[in-house]
Amino acid sequence: MSDLRSDPGLRTRILDYNPNIRDEIRRAYLQKGPCQPRNHDFPQKKFGKESRRFNPAWFDEFPYWLEYSIKEDVAFCLCCYLFKTNLGEKAGGDSFVGTCFSNWKKKERFQVHVGGPNSSHNQALKKYQALMNEKQHTENVFHKHSHQSRIDYRIRLNASVDCIRFLLRQGLSFRGHDESEDSSNQGNFLELLQFLVDHNEEVKAVALKNAHENLKVTSPKIQKDIVNAAAVETTDAIIRDMGDAFFSILVDESRDVSVKEQMIVMFRYVDKKGCVIERFIGIEHVTSTTAESLKASIDSLFSRHKLSMCRLRGHGYDGASNMSGEFNGLKTLIMRENESAYYVHCFAHQLQLAIVGLAKKHSLIGAFFTLVSNVVNIVGASSKRRDILRDKQALKVVEALTNGELSSGKGLNQATEIKRSCDTRWGSYYGTLINFITMFSSTIDVLDEIANDRLTVDQKHEAFILLGLVQSFDFVFSLHLMRNILGITNALSQALQRDDHDIVNAMDLVELCKQQFQKMRENGWDSLLEEVSVFCRDQSIDVPNMGDMFLARGRSQRNGPKITNMHYYRVDFFYEVIALQLQELNSRFNEANTELLLCLACLSPNDSFSSFDKQKLIRLAQLYPNDFSSQELEVLKDQLQTYIDDMHSNTNFSELQGIAALAKKLVETKKEQNA
């Protein structure tokens, strides 16, 4: 570009007549401007008897296009030179482009060259002006408009993303029942976006009503796309945080409202800081809940996130046969592929199943819980009945306080009601039974009112039947027996659900629970019978003579064995229920006694590593043959001794509780690098 000649007489003819002159060359000429040497001493030229020369004042008259060649002493038109593509056009002639103009006595030829509005010169001049005015150029205008549109779109999109992130973090619904503009409540997403618009002028200028109809970024489809993008980014962040660490999976199956089978998957691992992390990965749709289908879905999930089954070290799910079956369950399919991926059932869920198993195996206990649920449903069927129950209970408390049967004090005799239990959480029955005993007399009064209310037909006959069943020795005996049994398991259930309990504490609590049941079976009969008898006398319920013959109901009354009431209630009821509960605990918690967990318990830092056992830890390493070679096992013996000596001598590890706290402290002190 620097070699372009300013003098039009020196410009090459190839460049002059090339119809495909590039815009950058044209722009370079235009930036230099027409060659107008105003201070030049223009030579005289003979025209007949007169001498004429180029008048520099003509530059002012035609400033944009007129140029003069010092070498040739001729005039040119810069616009036509750069933009005229057809030299055969005769609008004003071609002398200003081709043969040049030097007839200085005919100034009118300048106007002839300019011509009319549609002349070749004026068309070239328009092209000249368009090229010089880049800000008004179509391409530049479009680029400027597109740039501003992108800025507005980003603001609008970020506003929608911020609203969606808030709703996702809070677990709130997005859509509203009526999302029209005149709706009083358009749903959480649109209402939150409107709130953001009202409090942010930058967002207000480009969002909702100020956005194009087809570019509001608020449609349900776009919401789902953003949610999916957030899910992908979150999952990728979890996978990156896991890195190449060993991990375990927690799997459960469920069915959504559209009756589609789903598999919920969670990952559990130890991060680089030594913290135990549990993350929800996603919900996988499965065609069926067979073990093969669930295994295929897990393989697909691993493949999608580039995870290897060989890094899996544990898996847990419920006790259904398709999950934990010994032959064809999901547990078996995974362990066939990776023998180091051990199956561990949730202790709290196993306890839940133990109580469920008791109710299923003992018909009287199952009938008792059904009866309790029916009473709670009738008494608490309406707010009116609940108010009646509370009022009657309040009167009972006042009467007892007046008679000195109850003592007053802070936190005593609080208002209460019968709690509704949950079939999927049998531990909730404990609170129900406690309140049932406390409010037994008031509950009987409410049932009596319902059964004898002439204006009430609904549930009247059912209340009459329940009234007779509840006021029986069998019901009261079952009530107090199950209250005591659930009291023992409730303590264990609450402990197992605490975050600060590890596997070692869980094993100890299970054994303690079994010991309590055994102690109750051996020494609890007399106290239970006395407790039930006193309660029955207070409630005017007949207590059978334990030495009399037991009268069984139904066909068993004729064909059954002749036994006393003492034998029935003590042996067939009390002993059998406790034995069944112990049997369920032993069968459900048999994994707590496996070699793996017993060896793992030796890592516990509780009580200054009192559980440490080098031989068991070596055996724990042997359970993972793919991770420890025979040479590494020999070295491990010396390393374990060094490790325990270091732990005992270091005050940072003297008061740790739980294996998770140990792992975190090892990372904090950088001692895991010595492993």
Side-chain angles (χ1 to χ4, degrees), residues 589-602:
F589 288 93
N590 58 349
E591 291 177 278
N593 298 319
T594 60
E595 192 174 23
L596 173 67
L597 296 181
L598 291 175
C599 293
L600 185 64
C602 298

Side-chain angles (χ1 to χ4, degrees), residues 246-315:
F246 295 113
F247 64 96
S248 61
I249 60 173
L250 303 176
V251 180
D252 198 3
E253 52 185 316
S254 65
R255 182 178 298 177
D256 63 10
V257 293
S258 62
V259 199
K260 290 183 178 179
E261 296 291 348
Q262 299 178 126
M263 181 180 68
I264 295 89
V265 182
M266 300 187 70
F267 283 179
R268 187 177 177 92
Y269 61 96
V270 179
D271 66 4
K272 296 179 180 178
K273 297 181 180 180
C275 299
V276 179
I277 305 296
E278 190 172 289
R279 290 287 183 261
F280 171 76
I281 291 298
I283 299 176
E284 296 289 318
H285 172 67
V286 292
T287 56
S288 67
T289 56
T290 62
E292 292 77 10
S293 178
L294 297 176
K295 177 61 166 58
S297 297
I298 292 177
D299 289 340
S300 175
L301 177 68
F302 278 31
S303 176
R304 188 162 62 250
H305 297 300
K306 299 180 180 179
L307 299 174
S308 174
M309 186 67 72
C310 66
R311 308 297 295 178
L312 187 64
R313 287 296 177 270
H315 48 116

Side-chain angles (χ1 to χ4, degrees), residues 354-387:
I355 302 174
V356 174
L358 171 63
K360 288 182 178 180
K361 291 183 178 181
H362 200 284
S363 58
L364 291 178
I365 297 301
F368 165 75
F369 280 121
T370 302
L371 184 58
V372 170
S373 297
N374 291 338
V375 173
V376 173
N377 291 336
I378 290 181
V379 174
S382 65
S383 57
K384 178 182 177 180
R385 294 179 183 177
R386 288 193 293 269
D387 291 339

Side-chain angles (χ1 to χ4, degrees), residues 30 64 83 122 124-134:
L30 294 177
Y64 298 107
F83 295 100
N122 281 323
L125 181 62
K126 290 178 181 179
K127 296 178 182 179
Y128 158 81
Q129 293 172 342
L131 186 62
M132 288 301 295
N133 191 1
E134 294 185 5

Side-chain angles (χ1 to χ4, degrees), residues 119-254:
S119 67
S120 177
H121 170 81
N122 281 323
Q123 291 179 6
L125 181 62
K126 290 178 181 179
K127 296 178 182 179
Y128 158 81
Q129 293 172 342
L131 186 62
M132 288 301 295
N133 191 1
E134 294 185 5
K135 294 182 179 180
Q136 298 299 324
H137 195 274
T138 303
E139 181 179 342
N140 292 327
V141 172
F142 178 77
H143 177 75
K144 180 180 179 181
H145 178 73
S146 299
H147 179 67
Q148 185 61 42
S149 297
R150 286 195 295 269
I151 295 176
D152 295 345
Y153 180 79
R154 284 196 181 95
I155 296 174
R156 194 158 49 244
L157 178 61
N158 286 333
S160 294
V161 170
D162 290 341
C163 293
I164 289 175
R165 289 178 60 189
F166 175 83
L167 295 176
L168 289 175
R169 291 177 67 89
Q170 298 303 117
L172 300 175
S173 59
F174 280 51
R175 305 293 305 281
H177 177 68
D178 181 8
E179 294 188 346
S180 59
E181 293 185 359
D182 55 348
S183 173
S184 59
N185 189 346
Q186 295 181 301
N188 290 332
F189 173 74
L190 292 179
E191 291 292 339
L192 184 59
L193 184 58
Q194 183 63 55
F195 178 85
L196 187 60
V197 167
D198 294 339
H199 292 78
N200 191 313
E201 293 297 328
E202 185 181 36
V203 177
K204 182 179 182 180
V206 298
L208 293 180
K209 294 182 179 180
N210 294 326
H212 296 291
E213 288 294 330
N214 62 341
L215 204 60
K216 291 187 176 182
V217 200
T218 58
S219 70
K221 183 177 180 181
I222 291 178
Q223 294 177 34
K224 292 180 180 178
D225 287 342
I226 296 176
V227 170
N228 290 333
V232 171
E233 290 297 324
T234 303
T235 305
D236 290 344
I238 295 173
I239 300 301
R240 288 195 300 270
D241 186 50
M242 284 177 55
D244 60 348
F246 295 113
F247 64 96
S248 61
I249 60 173
L250 303 176
V251 180
D252 198 3
E253 52 185 316
S254 65

Side-chain angles (χ1 to χ4, degrees), residues 322-365:
N322 64 331
M323 291 293 205
S324 58
E326 293 293 335
F327 299 102
N328 295 315
L330 178 61
K331 173 190 74 172
T332 304
L333 296 179
I334 291 179
M335 294 193 69
R336 285 175 184 171
E337 188 172 343
N338 180 5
E339 61 180 357
S340 297
Y342 291 98
Y343 167 72
V344 179
H345 197 170
C346 172
F347 276 32
H349 189 248
Q350 288 183 90
L351 178 62
Q352 172 79 12
L353 294 176
I355 302 174
V356 174
L358 171 63
K360 288 182 178 180
K361 291 183 178 181
H362 200 284
S363 58
L364 291 178
I365 297 301

